[in-house]
Amino acid sequence: MQLRPNQRLKLDDTDDKLFYAYPRFVTHVDEGFIQQLTDLYRDRLKPNTRIFDMMSSWVSHLPEEMEFDHVEGHGLNGEELARNARLNHYFVQNLNENPQLPLPDGDFDAVLNCVSVQYMQYPEAVFSEIYRILKPGGVAIISFSNRMFFEKAIQAWREASEAQRVELVKAYFASLPGFTTAEVIAHKSTLPNLLQWLGAAGGDPFYAVIAYRS
């Protein structure tokens, strides 16, 4: 799987660090989405393990009752990451400039990415890094809805339907032979599009694509 150059383009091609220079202490999905994500984490993550929360912010949506050996955070705004009480450590890095993570091979039991996969301009490289840092048997959970900063999402994502976006993330995993066949959890919104766009409660669809390092 290889995106074409035009599929990587963003409407706003200015430096991502400028766009994320100011903290946004909000959640970008509704409470229904967050509850489904936390329940999924509760089901798939194990206590006392090492977690990497990629492209994170001031909240990680991890179950409050679960304790982990280490939660490493990453994002583009240090002020948001500093506010995140679940992180033991964090670093700031623009993956569109440098997708290579400053993390050891096989060091994490889980890699999480919540509502951010749409901004990756070089997802092939990023997913290769996800594979590299996962322990054998470790899980990667990529979750997303239909919301985004439209001007910062790549063309391949902007122009795709929700079903096509699921297939896109599955293809990211499938491009690496070391991942298991991706599993999909999809809960589509039952609200009309207009109410979804207006942010009506319960309006956000929930998608998660999950794979394990073989």
Side-chain angles (χ1 to χ4, degrees):
M1 198 283 305
Q2 189 79 16
L3 291 180
R4 298 186 303 275
N6 64 300
Q7 291 181 298
R8 304 179 195 275
L9 297 177
K10 302 185 178 191
L11 295 176
D12 176 1
D13 62 358
T14 59
D15 192 329
D16 291 335
K17 292 193 292 291
L18 297 175
F19 186 80
Y20 295 101
Y22 297 97
R24 296 176 174 89
F25 295 114
V26 297
T27 51
H28 300 288
V29 282
D30 66 14
E31 289 300 320
F33 181 102
I34 292 169
Q35 186 61 57
Q36 290 178 83
L37 182 61
T38 300
D39 289 343
L40 177 61
Y41 287 166
R42 184 177 288 113
D43 181 54
R44 298 301 178 101
L45 302 181
K46 297 176 182 178
N48 306 314
T49 54
R50 293 178 59 81
I51 310 295
F52 178 50
D53 190 9
M54 171 187 281
M55 303 174 80
S56 185
S57 64
W58 67 286
V59 60
S60 291
H61 309 304
L62 294 166
E64 290 184 5
E65 76 280 4
M66 290 186 75
E67 294 188 8
F68 301 98
D69 280 348
H70 183 86
V71 180
E72 183 77 18
H74 155 264
L76 270 177
N77 186 281
E79 198 172 337
E80 289 182 11
L81 295 168
R83 181 83 69 90
N84 190 330
R86 294 309 301 263
L87 302 182
N88 299 108
H89 182 264
Y90 65 84
F91 63 96
V92 175
Q93 181 174 322
N94 183 353
L95 298 182
N96 290 330
E97 287 184 350
N98 175 18
Q100 188 169 359
L101 298 168
L103 301 169
D105 295 355
D107 198 40
F108 290 92
D109 299 279
V111 175
L112 314 177
N113 184 291
C114 174
V115 298
S116 297
V117 66
Q118 61 267 30
Y119 307 121
M120 294 179 187
Q121 291 181 285
Y122 302 96
E124 307 94 331
V126 175
F127 274 66
S128 178
E129 283 292 278
I130 291 173
Y131 176 81
R132 180 184 66 78
I133 67 172
L134 274 175
K135 298 177 182 178
V139 64
I141 302 175
I142 311 298
S143 59
F144 51 94
S145 188
N146 59 355
R147 298 201 208 184
M148 70 190 89
F149 294 123
F150 196 78
E151 67 273 32
K152 281 297 184 181
I154 63 169
Q155 179 177 300
W157 194 274
R158 295 194 313 271
E159 296 184 351
S161 67
E162 291 182 20
Q164 289 169 333
R165 291 167 184 167
V166 170
E167 293 303 314
L168 194 60
V169 179
K170 287 172 62 180
Y172 294 164
F173 278 122
S175 68
L176 293 159
F179 277 116
T180 60
T181 301
E183 170 190 355
V184 175
I185 298 173
H187 298 145
K188 299 179 182 179
S189 176
T190 57
L191 290 181
N193 285 340
L194 177 61
L195 292 180
Q196 291 183 45
W197 294 333
L198 292 174
D204 287 356
F206 177 85
Y207 297 101
V209 183
I210 306 163
Y212 293 80
R213 175 169 171 161
S214 301

